[in-house]
Amino acid sequence: MGLQRRADLAGAAHLELVSGVVQLRPQDAMVEAMLRGWRAQQAARGLREDTVTPRERLVRRFLEHTNEYPWAWTPGHVDEWSLWLTSEKHLASSTIRSYQGSLRLFSEFLIDGRYGWAVACEDAFGTHPVAICHEWNTIAHLNDYEGRPEARPFTREEIQRFLDYADDQVERAVRAKRKGALAAYRDATLFKVIYGWGLRRTETSKLDVVDFGRNSKAPQFGRYGTLNVRYGKAKKGQSPRRRNVLSVMDWAVEAVADYVENVRPRFGCEDHPALWVTERGGRVKPTEINARFVAYRDALKLPKELTVHSARHAYVTHLTEDGVDRRFLQQQVGHENDSSTAIYTHVSDDFMNTMLHKALAPALAPTSADKDR
């Protein structure tokens, strides 16, 4: 019975291969059966479609790059491919490591004896798949943060300029009697929410009006005392992580309250749940947020290393400088580890000097003997 159960695992070769049928292109048929099997295996493990599909797409791209079938792949193919991704495509190390991880999973699935793909290849082609991803040809995860080193948070002056410019676009559209005044107001508020609650771009785009709620400890914020982020960054293959972010910036609360109560209804989308709606009745997408951000940043001639994510970094940095507890900030931004929050923090020289003076104060304080002299 145990052997029968192992043989009937989702994704097993005998479940995907059609017996007794002569294939015109047996190699291609084998590859498609392997990918179907891998998809079935991942689905049986409860992985989401939006995780499985990109993995399959990545394997197909590797197939095209090598121009070899999986039973002919070698570690050398991974070496060449990784070098190409680095030198030609200029991808980040974290991205390449993610690609290598997907390729490793597919390779391990093929050589796992429980699924029977190695035997099927041996019978059909006289050879079989081997492990192709090893310690020496893949990138290790050594750092908590692997973003571009030039990336940084907004300074206080920069974020103020950016938000002021976004507000100016509303006034310009109103004066010119342009149709885009509502969209400009929406976008100005959207950027204030990203900074005011320390959100990621995708988290922001998926907010609904009902995600705001009251906080009994901060009654002054009314129905905007807390924000339920339902689409936080997910771990690989898992569902998005939820978190509640407490409101801490009163000006940001005032901005979003004015938008929800006085501006959003004018879009005519009363039945749409989204906080950020378009003039055509849809939900604002992350790519649209990024496009508007880049347009404003470049118009202000701000450094190109500033991204939408820089506002989230600035949220952590500026509140740290204001003396907010880091454990609280870790919960606010949804980091599992304090080290990740620390990497987000780029405090100013003035703040560092103030902390230095506080740290040295006990050592430099005059002793009783000094006072007696």
Side-chain angles (χ1 to χ4, degrees):
M1 289 295 292
L3 290 175
Q4 182 65 30
R5 282 197 296 270
R6 285 198 293 271
D8 287 342
L9 285 174
H14 78 279
L15 297 177
E16 301 297 335
L17 293 171
V18 180
S19 60
V21 176
V22 178
Q23 302 285 350
L24 294 177
R25 300 176 63 88
Q27 293 90 344
D28 292 343
M30 180 67 78
V31 170
E32 293 303 319
M34 287 174 166
L35 289 170
R36 284 198 308 273
W38 192 39
R39 177 177 285 274
Q41 184 245 20
Q42 293 178 90
R45 292 166 49 210
L47 298 186
R48 293 161 51 93
E49 181 70 21
D50 56 6
T51 296
V52 176
T53 298
R55 285 178 174 177
E56 179 180 335
R57 190 182 305 124
L58 187 279
V59 170
R60 290 185 183 277
R61 285 160 56 187
F62 186 72
L63 277 164
E64 293 176 4
H65 182 84
T66 62
N67 199 30
E68 295 281 0
Y69 293 109
W71 48 91
W73 287 347
T74 68
H77 288 122
V78 178
D79 290 336
E80 296 169 2
W81 178 63
S82 300
L83 179 61
W84 176 73
L85 293 174
T86 302
S87 60
E88 299 293 330
K89 304 297 287 183
H90 306 292
L91 298 184
S93 295
S94 56
T95 301
I96 297 174
R97 188 184 61 250
S98 175
Y99 288 176
Q100 292 170 341
S102 295
L103 198 58
R104 183 199 296 271
L105 290 173
F106 180 64
S107 174
E108 290 176 346
F109 165 71
L110 295 184
I111 65 177
D112 190 326
R114 295 174 298 172
Y115 295 96
W117 290 104
V119 173
C121 289
E122 190 74 48
D123 292 343
F125 312 117
T127 186
H128 55 81
V130 298
I132 58 174
C133 295
H134 303 280
E135 292 181 2
W136 63 83
N137 68 348
T138 55
I139 300 173
H141 188 171
L142 301 177
N143 300 311
D144 291 310
Y145 176 72
E146 296 178 322
R148 294 178 295 114
E150 64 271 20
R152 63 171 178 80
F154 280 89
T155 65
R156 292 178 188 267
E157 187 270 338
E158 287 170 338
I159 194 66
Q160 189 64 60
R161 283 182 61 201
F162 185 90
L163 296 178
D164 286 346
Y165 183 84
D167 286 338
D168 289 343
Q169 303 318 298
V170 182
E171 295 181 10
R172 290 181 183 180
V174 171
R175 287 197 300 268
K177 297 182 179 180
R178 295 203 310 263
K179 185 179 179 181
L182 288 178
Y185 198 108
R186 175 203 64 208
D187 293 339
T189 310
L190 183 151
F191 290 126
K192 291 171 186 174
V193 168
I194 288 178
Y195 174 64
W197 280 267
L199 303 183
R200 299 178 177 91
R201 182 181 56 183
T202 301
E203 294 172 348
T204 306
S205 72
K206 293 186 176 181
L207 290 177
D208 287 346
V209 175
V210 297
D211 289 334
F212 281 100
R214 296 180 181 275
N215 179 3
S216 61
K217 301 298 182 181
Q220 68 272 25
F221 295 146
R223 56 167 293 199
Y224 302 96
T226 184
L227 178 58
N228 181 22
V229 178
R230 293 175 294 110
Y231 290 90
K233 187 176 181 180
K235 289 185 176 181
K236 200 71 171 179
Q238 297 184 6
S239 299
R241 288 185 292 173
R242 290 174 174 258
R243 72 179 187 279
N244 283 324
V245 184
L246 302 183
S247 304
V248 295
M249 300 183 185
D250 52 1
W251 61 267
V253 169
E254 292 173 4
V256 76
D258 184 48
Y259 164 76
V260 170
E261 295 162 16
N262 300 315
V263 178
R264 186 184 176 282
R266 298 176 64 181
F267 281 89
C269 303
E270 294 83 1
D271 296 331
H272 201 296
L275 179 60
W276 317 112
V277 290
T278 68
E279 292 171 322
R280 294 185 177 182
R283 182 186 295 270
V284 173
K285 299 177 181 178
T287 53
E288 296 169 327
I289 296 175
N290 196 66
R292 184 57 63 95
F293 173 88
V294 170
Y296 288 2
R297 180 199 65 193
D298 292 350
L300 287 167
K301 294 182 170 54
L302 290 170
K304 292 191 180 296
E305 58 261 29
L306 293 175
T307 65
V308 177
H309 208 66
S310 296
R312 174 173 158 87
H313 282 230
Y315 170 86
V316 175
T317 295
H318 299 164
L319 289 181
T320 298
E321 292 180 344
D322 292 340
V324 176
D325 180 75
R326 189 139 100 210
R327 175 61 179 169
F328 172 77
L329 290 177
Q330 180 184 338
Q331 296 296 321
Q332 289 280 92
V333 296
H335 285 158
E336 286 191 332
N337 301 312
D338 177 67
S339 57
S340 299
T341 309
I343 293 168
Y344 265 41
T345 308
H346 303 259
V347 294
S348 66
D349 290 341
D350 288 342
F351 175 80
M352 292 298 291
N353 288 331
T354 300
M355 292 299 100
L356 176 63
H357 287 308
K358 286 185 177 181
L360 294 178
L364 298 178
T367 64
S368 56
D370 292 331
K371 294 178 181 178
D372 293 338
R373 291 177 183 173

